[in-house]
Amino acid sequence: QVHLVESGGGLVQAGGSLRLSCAASGRSFNSHAVGWFRQAPGKEREFVATISWSGVDSYYADSVKGRFTMSRDITKSTVYLQMDTLKPEDTAIYYCAARNFDVSWLADKYEYWGQGTQVTVSS
């Protein structure tokens, strides 16, 4: 079983930056693709970004392209989401998730989920 714990959320003003972390434990985590999803009040959970097990391939939702960057540190079993030029529309609970091997933008393809971390961007 893979356990994921997000951290790094907080309150920032529009235009600011945050870096979210997703610390993982469990067997064969480094063979898993990792995704970030977010859910705002009254809205469905949506795809944000994903990165392959190698850390080479990454994909982003159109709404965050050019502003968010994923990376992973295999030695620390940690995945990061660097968020720059934040907008009020980015306000949501952010979740990291893992699935075996291939990347996906579909939430229901992910087996393991963290508890979420709140990101609030003020205007």
Side-chain angles (χ1 to χ4, degrees), residues 7 24 26 33 38 43 45 47 49 56-57 68-69 75 78 85 98 100-101 103-106 108 111 115 118-119:
S7 62
R38 66 187 183 187
K43 297 183 179 179
R45 187 169 298 184
F47 168 76
V56 173
D57 302 313
F68 291 10
T69 304
T75 63
T78 300
T85 319
N100 201 24
F101 301 120
V103 298
S104 177
W105 61 94
L106 301 175
D108 60 4
E111 302 173 270
Q115 84 291 342
Q118 177 70 49
V119 172

Side-chain angles (χ1 to χ4, degrees), residues 17-99:
S17 298
L18 285 173
R19 189 171 83 156
L20 305 184
S21 298
C22 177
S25 62
R27 190 173 299 173
S28 301
F29 173 74
N30 291 338
S31 296
H32 288 70
V34 177
W36 285 96
F37 295 81
R38 66 187 183 187
Q39 188 164 22
K43 297 183 179 179
E44 295 183 351
R45 187 169 298 184
E46 66 174 343
F47 168 76
V48 176
T50 186
I51 193 166
S52 66
W53 65 269
S54 68
V56 173
D57 302 313
S58 59
Y59 304 88
Y60 301 90
D62 288 342
S63 60
V64 306
K65 283 182 180 177
R67 299 189 298 118
F68 291 10
T69 304
M70 280 195 74
S71 62
R72 69 189 302 169
D73 187 334
I74 300 300
T75 63
K76 297 180 180 179
S77 297
T78 300
V79 172
Y80 304 97
L81 181 67
Q82 178 67 42
M83 305 186 295
D84 298 318
T85 319
L86 283 161
K87 303 176 181 179
E89 304 92 274
D90 296 319
T91 296
I93 299 174
Y94 283 70
Y95 300 88
C96 66
R99 68 185 304 271

